[in-house]
Amino acid sequence: MFKNPIKTKSWKKILNHFNYIKNIKIIDLFKKDKNRFKNFSINFNNKILVDYSKNKIILKTINLFLSLLDEINFKDYILSILEGENVNFTKNKPFLNFLLRDFDNKLLKNKEFLLDYKKDIDANLNKIKFFTERIINGKWLGYSGKKIKNIVNIGIGGLDFGPKMIINSLLEYKINKYQKFYFISNIDSLKISKLIKKISPEKTLFIICSKSFTTIETLSNSNIAKNWILNFYNNNIISLNNHFILISSNFNKAIKFGVNLNNIFIVDTWLSNRYSYCSPFGLSISIFMGFKNFKKLLYGAHDMDIHFFNSNFKNNIPIILAIISIWYNNFFNYSVEAILAYSNKLFFLPTYLQQLIMESNGKCIDYNGNYINDYYTSPIVLGGIGTISQHSFYQLLHQGTYIIPCDFIVEICNSYNINNSHLILISNFLSQTQSLAFGDKIFKYNIFNKNNNNIYKFIKFKGNRPSNSILLNNINPYNIGALITLYEYRVISQGIILNISSFDQWGVELSKKLSNFIYPYLKNKSLKNNNLNENKIYLDNSTLNLINYFKKNFN
């Protein structure tokens, strides 16, 4: 099942096809195919429309990639996900996110260990509902008997990006208008220090999210919060039960924090942080918009599960988008992609997807443990919000020497159409994809002043720059769940094709471990030289002098 893709017959055929199509113009593809939009768009449940017609592809391009999927046994791999096999190869774990929202058991295989996982998932879901309703309705009180007003989510990576992005996308769905939500992630204590100066400990609930309960950023901020609460209540350890909920897979470390077992959600170790919003790590989301809306979020994700696992590959949105991304990254050498959200509600979506894509597939080691030297894995992802980004980096998108494929995302129906502002936003959305694809050829006559040749020669737009358009009928819990899951399966599909694991992130571990060795020297230990034996780690001349400079100037 684990195959180097470029050593397949299909990859060679795709390469030959690329040599034929590489100089083709998008505008010519539309001239040749009057039904191009119909042939290159997919409608998901009349909720999300994906138009991928403005790409440098023809039907043969897709068919050749589908042959590649057959050759690498792609179908067997996704079946192994459904059957609970350990597809997280390096950690010997399954990937069972579909069970988090498989309410009707459409995807659940009748295997005893999967049924056991499902029982634990359902128990946690009921616990989410119970906690959500108590906190929203004011039945969960601080230790002094006051209602909870401030909910503070402490986590990092996916345990911060996910809840923060979803809550900010769905501000209209807030249930308790008096409650305020905050997110703390960075080990830089400035943010939490400022926060605890302006909120009341009696009215604050902290949700601590750490799968391992060893993440230094989360533990550092959690201990600041813990000491703040204990100082207020004269070191009464019992008070922590009213002000802390812990979510982790490391029960032994979590229980040592000092709260009751009832305040701890235990999640399984197969759950990856950046794929975790449907789990107890999404508790802050449920409290924000209520359990009913939280379930709608899960239903959207579930329906995208069904679409991914059951749809014909030719009409499978995540697979098609994965193919297009690999097509550009590995054949055209377009190494950068842009995700551009035309809604302020989706302000944090590009950041969220940057982590999802680059932490999942930013790998140079394949499933066989070999270095990858002959093809590219993850693209570099940049992003922003339209139309703000139009006044930032779009100049490069249109006329730069780099060609950057783009995903444009927009909401069709919006209640904030003051002075036709939403229609103006949509016109900008459409004009960007059109001008990128066709350049100045879209006008029957040139709209710029052709008489002034000194200026005109600088105002050339070649076009032929690809994009996908993703239209949500509304930004609501269901559609956000479906959209996030669409990108999750796009990432996983790319990982399967490129023979890498999308479920681990070993690349960030070395520097994290190294910081634990460096910290004691910053604090008090003396540094004699850069000898490995004396210092336990080798310190190069640069790092050695930077440490000494810091110690000399640190107050």
Side-chain angles (χ1 to χ4, degrees):
M1 185 154 56
F2 306 132
K3 294 183 180 181
N4 182 328
I6 73 164
K7 293 184 178 178
T8 62
K9 294 178 180 177
S10 299
W11 192 276
K12 293 179 176 65
K13 289 180 180 178
I14 296 170
L15 183 58
N16 290 333
H17 173 65
F18 165 73
N19 290 326
Y20 160 74
I21 207 173
K22 63 183 178 182
N23 294 319
I24 204 162
K25 300 289 190 294
I26 296 174
I27 193 168
D28 294 329
L29 296 175
F30 276 87
K31 288 177 180 178
K32 290 179 182 178
D33 184 359
K34 301 301 180 186
N35 294 312
R36 185 163 174 83
F37 172 79
K38 181 181 178 182
N39 292 332
F40 294 90
S41 63
I42 304 172
N43 190 317
F44 170 76
N45 290 355
N46 291 320
K47 305 287 187 182
I48 301 175
L49 174 69
V50 178
D51 169 22
Y52 58 100
S53 61
K54 294 187 181 82
N55 281 291
K56 301 176 184 181
I57 57 172
I58 58 176
L59 289 174
K60 185 177 180 180
T61 315
I62 301 298
N63 289 332
L64 286 171
F65 270 101
L66 296 182
S67 296
L68 174 64
L69 298 189
D70 288 338
E71 193 171 350
I72 64 171
N73 301 315
F74 185 95
K75 189 175 290 186
D76 291 342
Y77 192 105
I78 62 172
L79 183 62
S80 68
I81 293 176
L82 283 174
E83 293 182 342
E85 294 184 19
N86 292 335
V87 294
N88 187 346
F89 191 72
T90 62
K91 294 189 176 181
N92 206 31
K93 299 288 181 184
F95 178 78
L96 300 174
N97 276 39
F98 62 91
L99 287 183
L100 294 169
R101 54 261 182 159
D102 191 18
F103 303 114
D104 47 15
N105 294 335
K106 284 184 178 179
L107 296 171
L108 178 64
K109 299 294 180 183
N110 192 23
K111 291 187 174 183
E112 190 172 336
F113 73 97
L114 288 178
L115 293 171
D116 288 340
Y117 280 132
K118 190 67 168 61
K119 288 177 185 176
D120 292 339
I121 288 167
D122 289 344
N124 266 339
L125 194 62
N126 288 330
K127 191 171 179 179
I128 291 171
K129 180 182 180 183
F130 177 71
F131 277 30
T132 296
E133 292 175 350
R134 286 191 67 208
I135 295 165
I136 289 175
N137 296 332
K139 292 180 181 179
W140 184 298
L141 303 175
Y143 187 66
S144 61
K146 295 186 177 179
K147 292 181 180 180
I148 296 298
K149 179 182 177 182
N150 310 299
I151 292 92
V152 184
N153 189 96
I154 299 180
I156 199 164
L159 306 184
D160 171 69
F161 292 139
K164 181 166 62 180
M165 182 273 291
I166 292 169
I167 283 175
N168 278 276
S169 298
L170 299 167
L171 293 176
E172 297 166 87
Y173 290 84
K174 186 177 183 182
I175 294 292
N176 188 326
K177 64 180 180 180
Y178 298 106
Q179 289 179 336
K180 296 183 178 180
F181 290 74
Y182 304 93
F183 293 89
I184 301 294
S185 57
N186 201 338
I187 198 168
D188 184 338
S189 58
L190 177 64
K191 190 169 185 180
I192 192 169
S193 297
K194 283 187 171 182
L195 177 63
I196 60 179
K197 286 178 181 177
K198 72 175 186 178
I199 61 176
S200 165
E202 296 176 277
K203 301 176 182 179
T204 300
L205 175 67
F206 293 95
I207 301 174
I208 311 300
C209 301
S210 177
K211 195 172 78 170
S212 65
F213 224 77
T214 60
T215 308
I216 188 64
E217 296 90 344
T218 302
L219 291 185
S220 177
N221 285 314
S222 298
N223 285 324
I224 291 171
K226 178 180 177 180
N227 292 333
W228 181 59
I229 293 294
L230 288 175
N231 287 337
F232 183 82
Y233 289 115
N234 299 315
N235 288 321
N236 187 338
I237 194 75
I238 298 174
S239 66
L240 297 181
N241 294 318
N242 297 75
H243 297 279
F244 285 90
I245 296 171
L246 276 54
I247 306 166
S248 181
S249 60
N250 192 334
F251 172 76
N252 291 330
K253 286 191 177 293
I255 199 71
K256 289 179 182 178
F257 189 83
V259 300
N260 285 336
L261 174 62
N262 291 337
N263 285 43
I264 302 174
F265 284 85
I266 301 299
V267 297
D268 205 283
T269 54
W270 55 259
L271 186 66
S272 173
N273 289 355
R274 60 189 174 275
Y275 299 95
S276 65
Y277 72 97
C278 290
S279 76
F281 287 122
L283 177 62
S284 60
I285 304 169
S286 183
I287 297 168
F288 179 84
M289 62 185 185
F291 186 73
K292 286 184 179 179
N293 283 321
F294 182 69
K295 281 195 77 174
K296 289 177 183 177
L297 182 81
L298 270 58
Y299 276 118
H302 173 60
D303 284 353
M304 187 57 72
D305 291 332
I306 298 292
H307 172 80
F308 174 70
F309 286 113
N310 293 346
S311 293
N312 183 293
F313 289 170
K314 202 167 190 174
N315 298 303
N316 193 306
I317 298 171
I319 291 174
I320 293 297
L321 294 185
I323 286 170
I324 291 170
S325 177
I326 292 171
W327 173 237
Y328 290 131
N329 197 17
N330 276 282
F331 294 89
F332 285 88
N333 291 328
Y334 300 163
S335 58
V336 183
E337 294 179 5
I339 294 168
L340 308 162
Y342 273 68
S343 172
N344 229 43
K345 298 175 186 177
L346 301 177
F347 186 88
F348 291 106
L349 180 66
T351 303
Y352 173 83
L353 293 178
Q354 283 175 326
Q355 192 228 6
L356 175 66
I357 295 168
M358 291 191 284
E359 188 166 87
S360 295
N361 287 346
K363 313 286 172 62
C364 65
I365 299 169
D366 68 16
Y367 257 120
N368 302 307
N370 300 318
Y371 276 105
I372 297 170
N373 298 310
D374 41 11
Y375 59 93
Y376 298 111
T377 54
S378 175
I380 302 163
V381 181
L382 61 85
I385 296 295
T387 62
I388 298 169
S389 297
Q390 291 177 199
H391 298 269
S392 174
F393 55 84
Y394 275 39
Q395 169 62 36
L396 184 144
L397 296 183
H398 285 283
Q399 285 188 312
T401 52
Y402 296 98
I403 294 182
I404 300 176
C406 303
D407 282 2
F408 286 86
I409 305 170
V410 75
E411 177 187 32
I412 297 172
C413 299
N414 187 311
S415 57
Y416 301 105
N417 188 29
I418 303 170
N419 294 330
N420 292 320
S421 59
H422 188 61
L423 298 183
I424 296 170
L425 181 77
I426 297 292
S427 69
N428 274 269
F429 169 88
L430 295 171
S431 68
Q432 292 299 327
T433 65
Q434 193 179 20
S435 57
L436 282 168
F438 308 122
D440 52 23
K441 302 294 188 298
I442 53 180
F443 293 98
K444 291 183 179 179
Y445 56 90
N446 201 292
I447 60 170
F448 299 105
N449 186 359
K450 216 169 183 180
N451 296 324
N452 188 340
N453 289 327
N454 288 330
I455 296 176
Y456 178 70
K457 62 186 177 183
F458 297 104
I459 315 173
K460 298 174 184 176
F461 294 84
K462 285 185 178 180
N464 206 34
R465 298 183 179 223
S467 67
N468 299 305
S469 296
I470 300 174
L471 284 71
L472 313 179
N473 63 352
N474 289 104
I475 293 177
N476 57 36
Y478 178 94
N479 287 341
I480 289 294
L483 180 68
I484 296 170
T485 306
L486 184 164
Y487 274 100
E488 287 180 348
Y489 286 128
R490 193 204 92 156
V491 166
I492 291 167
S493 296
Q494 285 178 277
I496 299 169
I497 296 168
L498 298 171
N499 193 29
I500 54 174
S501 172
S502 301
F503 309 113
D504 58 25
Q505 57 281 336
W506 294 110
V508 300
E509 294 300 323
L510 175 62
S511 56
K512 284 167 66 175
K513 291 184 182 299
L514 188 56
S515 69
N516 292 330
F517 285 98
I518 291 175
Y519 172 71
Y521 295 108
L522 291 173
K523 192 174 181 183
N524 49 33
K525 279 194 177 183
S526 61
L527 285 165
K528 298 177 181 178
N529 52 44
N530 59 0
N531 184 277
L532 179 63
N533 294 326
E534 290 182 357
N535 297 327
K536 294 186 180 179
I537 57 170
Y538 172 75
L539 290 170
D540 62 272
N541 187 255
S542 169
T543 306
L544 183 72
N545 279 284
L546 289 171
I547 290 172
N548 286 329
Y549 182 84
F550 175 85
K551 292 179 75 170
K552 181 180 178 181
N553 291 278
F554 179 67
N555 294 319

